[in-house]
Amino acid sequence: MTLLNESRTRRRRLGVGATAAGLLAALLMGGPAAATPDPGDSPAAGKQLSRSAAADTEAAIASGEIPAQDEVVHSDNIEHLANIPKDALPGTNSDLAFQGQYAFAGNYDGFRIFDISDPKAPKTVAQVLCPGSQNDISVSGNLLFLSTDSSRSDNSCASTTQPATEKSSWEGMKVFDISDKKNPKYVAAVETACGSHTHTLVPEKKNVYVYVSSYSPSATFPDCQPPHDGISVIKVPRNAPEKAAVVGFPVLFPGEGPDGGGNPGAPTNPGVSKTTGCHDLTVLPSKDLAAGACMGDGILFSIEDPENPKVIDRVQDNKNFAFWHSATFNQKADKVVFTDELGGGGAATCNEAVGPNRGADGIYDITGKGDHRKLVFRSYFKIPRHQAATENCVAHNGSLIPVKGKDIMVQAWYQGGVSVWDFTDSTKPREIGYFERGPLTTDTLRVGGSWSAYYYNGHIYSNDIAKGFDVLKVSDRLTDPAEKVHVDELNVQTQPDYFD
């Protein structure tokens, strides 16, 4: 294994002063930053920092504690092979999916298809303009799925924003035919309650089931009424996608009253998001298992009957988790990594004031068998490099690096960059490689950095919110065996069984 550059891993004791202390207090009190996940439909231009915070950032750059503005740095075992800047889609870059020689990159303005047959020189195959917040993306066979989580005037790709209080507004799932990668065709739309923030595919031979995660209902929203305590299930016939339709809304958090039975949030649990739906689900079809990151709750459930998932266990962390954001199984399905998106992806939380346990990953072992399985907390993991007050940074989307007998992930941390880390010992996780850029600005907190970082067929691909599409190569004795493992298709939230 190549050792990390010691001066880089021990650098950055930023954020100890009044600016960081104030941020920490706000996050702990459960203000808007703790309850609003992911950058919004129209992210703010940036928050001007105090003169002292800006001066601290400049001083840290001058001393070499953090890289200079936009400077690329990485550990010795990671190589930066390529960067493709944003082109015709200027919006926020979001999630990624893969199929054969292609990568599919979501963007709040639509999606982009890359030919990655030569990872050192990706080529744009198509760019599709279809605005809608998130545009979380997945592919299965000839179908591409796109989430819309902003209220639109209609379901077309020419829609405009429209208040959710208007009954005619639309948000939900869009389906495209990608049999011709150069010319994707929009073939279906399905409206779902509270839209679709993310989605997860449960593919079968004749149909694709789509689990739709959404949240934050309001009595003023005709199509997003409380309690919103479950997920929408869409059934899409492969040969007739135009017949796609919602076939159920399984309740995952049963309870009395208008708020359902999820985490009540503040004031009962200060600093924790109230559970009004799920943010993201990950399924492991080979094991009929799923893990849900649901705002104030983490859940483990069975998908043996895909139209009627059944909750097996549920956990909360009311001390350190503000917003349960995403989940990743290890290959043996005896562990789950949950992420906490403290600050909603728009705050600088990778600093000494916030500490190592908030805005981090929570590693849980799965114990027991069948319906008696339990999620048991083991430890937290957070990148060891402190970031500047101008850098939004928190745990975000990642995937397994498929090494038999090891549990290794690559993960995005927004402006904290891309981290490769080992959780084979779930009580002692450790970083083994990293890639990042210096801050976008030195005087303003502006949202940027890696939204998703995934391992696919020998390379790491990252979709950077501001800088575009990056390709990385990790060369390390721990990860090198993964180069022999190839899959035909990868939607990270539909985890493959790499060694079956």
Side-chain angles (χ1 to χ4, degrees):
M1 179 183 68
T2 304
L3 295 177
L4 300 182
N5 183 306
E6 186 176 359
S7 65
R8 292 278 294 134
T9 58
R10 298 196 312 192
R11 67 174 171 80
R12 304 200 206 191
R13 300 184 63 82
L14 299 178
V16 187
T19 299
L23 170 64
L24 177 61
L27 293 173
L28 290 174
M29 289 302 292
T36 306
D38 298 334
D41 193 16
S42 299
K47 179 181 179 182
Q48 194 76 22
L49 298 182
S50 66
R51 289 184 180 180
S52 62
D56 285 347
T57 299
E58 293 284 4
I61 291 173
S63 67
E65 292 180 42
I66 66 172
Q69 185 173 344
D70 292 332
E71 178 188 2
V72 172
V73 296
H74 51 81
S75 54
D76 292 339
N77 56 359
I78 288 183
E79 182 183 1
H80 188 203
L81 298 182
N83 170 261
I84 308 299
K86 292 197 292 187
D87 191 5
L89 304 176
T92 296
N93 277 338
S94 58
D95 210 10
L96 294 168
F98 305 90
Q99 186 182 81
Q101 67 188 50
Y102 299 101
F104 303 82
N107 178 287
Y108 278 36
D109 286 329
F111 64 92
R112 192 171 182 178
I113 302 177
F114 294 99
D115 182 337
I116 54 172
S117 54
D118 180 359
K120 294 182 179 180
K123 297 179 181 178
T124 299
V125 174
Q127 297 190 73
V128 176
L129 180 65
C130 197
S133 177
Q134 287 291 117
N135 276 340
D136 191 48
I137 194 167
S138 296
V139 293
S140 184
N142 288 329
L143 300 178
L144 180 147
F145 302 85
L146 209 61
S147 286
T148 299
D149 193 36
S150 57
S151 187
R152 313 294 298 180
S153 56
D154 55 51
N155 64 10
S156 75
C157 285
S159 67
T160 57
T161 59
Q162 183 168 290
T165 52
E166 294 188 21
K167 177 61 180 174
S168 63
S169 295
W170 183 93
E171 50 187 318
M173 288 299 308
K174 296 169 181 170
V175 185
F176 290 78
D177 183 325
I178 53 168
S179 51
D180 180 357
K181 302 295 187 294
K182 294 181 179 180
N183 186 31
K185 296 180 180 179
Y186 186 12
V187 295
V190 181
E191 186 170 15
T192 54
C194 302
S196 175
H197 193 74
T198 66
H199 68 269
T200 303
L201 305 187
V202 184
E204 295 184 338
K205 187 174 182 179
K206 293 184 178 180
N207 303 296
V208 180
Y209 286 98
V210 185
Y211 288 169
V212 175
S213 296
S214 54
Y215 49 86
S216 296
S218 170
T220 66
F221 299 162
D223 299 318
C224 184
Q225 292 285 302
H228 185 73
D229 47 12
I231 58 173
S232 297
V233 179
I234 299 173
K235 185 177 181 180
V236 185
R238 290 188 182 277
N239 293 331
E242 68 279 3
K243 296 181 180 179
V246 174
V247 294
F249 187 86
V251 173
L252 302 178
F253 302 96
E256 300 295 330
D259 297 328
N263 196 317
T268 304
N269 297 316
V272 178
S273 293
K274 176 181 176 180
T275 298
T276 59
C278 290
H279 178 276
D280 209 351
L281 309 177
T282 293
V283 298
L284 195 56
S286 63
K287 302 290 194 299
D288 287 330
L289 272 182
C294 302
M295 305 183 73
D297 295 88
I299 58 174
L300 181 71
F301 57 103
S302 167
I303 58 168
E304 188 173 357
D305 178 355
E307 291 189 24
N308 298 285
K310 179 176 66 175
V311 175
I312 297 172
D313 194 27
R314 167 185 168 194
V315 290
Q316 297 178 353
D317 180 350
N318 293 321
K319 179 180 179 181
N320 288 316
F321 260 48
F323 191 93
W324 294 70
H325 176 276
S326 53
T328 303
F329 287 101
N330 69 333
Q331 181 60 37
K332 291 182 179 179
D334 59 8
K335 298 174 190 173
V336 181
V337 174
F338 288 103
T339 65
D340 171 28
E341 196 184 37
L342 174 69
T349 72
C350 296
N351 52 50
E352 189 174 30
V354 174
N357 297 338
R358 292 177 61 78
D361 297 314
I363 304 166
Y364 286 75
D365 284 354
I366 301 174
T367 63
K369 295 181 179 180
D371 290 349
H372 299 289
R373 283 172 285 193
K374 297 291 183 183
L375 293 165
V376 180
F377 174 77
R378 294 303 188 202
S379 66
Y380 298 106
F381 171 78
K382 193 172 184 179
I383 56 172
R385 297 171 312 285
H386 289 161
Q387 307 295 309
T390 62
E391 295 178 284
N392 62 305
C393 176
V394 74
H396 213 233
N397 293 346
S399 76
L400 289 184
I401 297 180
V403 178
K404 198 167 188 177
K406 297 287 185 181
D407 297 324
I408 301 174
M409 274 189 72
V410 59
Q411 187 175 3
W413 290 78
Y414 290 115
Q415 285 195 70
V418 175
S419 176
V420 177
W421 60 287
D422 185 338
F423 64 103
T424 306
D425 182 343
S426 54
T427 66
K428 296 179 180 179
R430 62 193 182 96
E431 185 175 74
I432 59 176
Y434 69 87
F435 165 89
E436 67 168 292
R437 292 180 169 89
L440 286 171
T441 65
T442 58
D443 60 355
T444 303
L445 176 57
R446 185 157 66 89
V447 171
S450 179
W451 178 292
S452 297
Y454 299 146
Y455 186 93
Y456 176 68
N457 293 354
H459 293 83
I460 294 169
Y461 298 91
S462 168
N463 212 18
D464 188 290
I465 290 172
K467 295 298 182 180
F469 184 71
D470 288 305
V471 185
L472 310 175
K473 178 71 173 178
V474 57
S475 300
D476 190 287
R477 67 175 179 83
L478 285 176
T479 60
D480 288 347
E483 294 185 17
K484 300 177 182 178
V485 181
H486 279 230
V487 293
D488 296 327
E489 192 171 85
L490 179 65
N491 301 296
V492 167
Q493 289 73 32
T494 306
Q495 286 189 219
D497 189 336
Y498 287 105
F499 304 109
D500 186 14

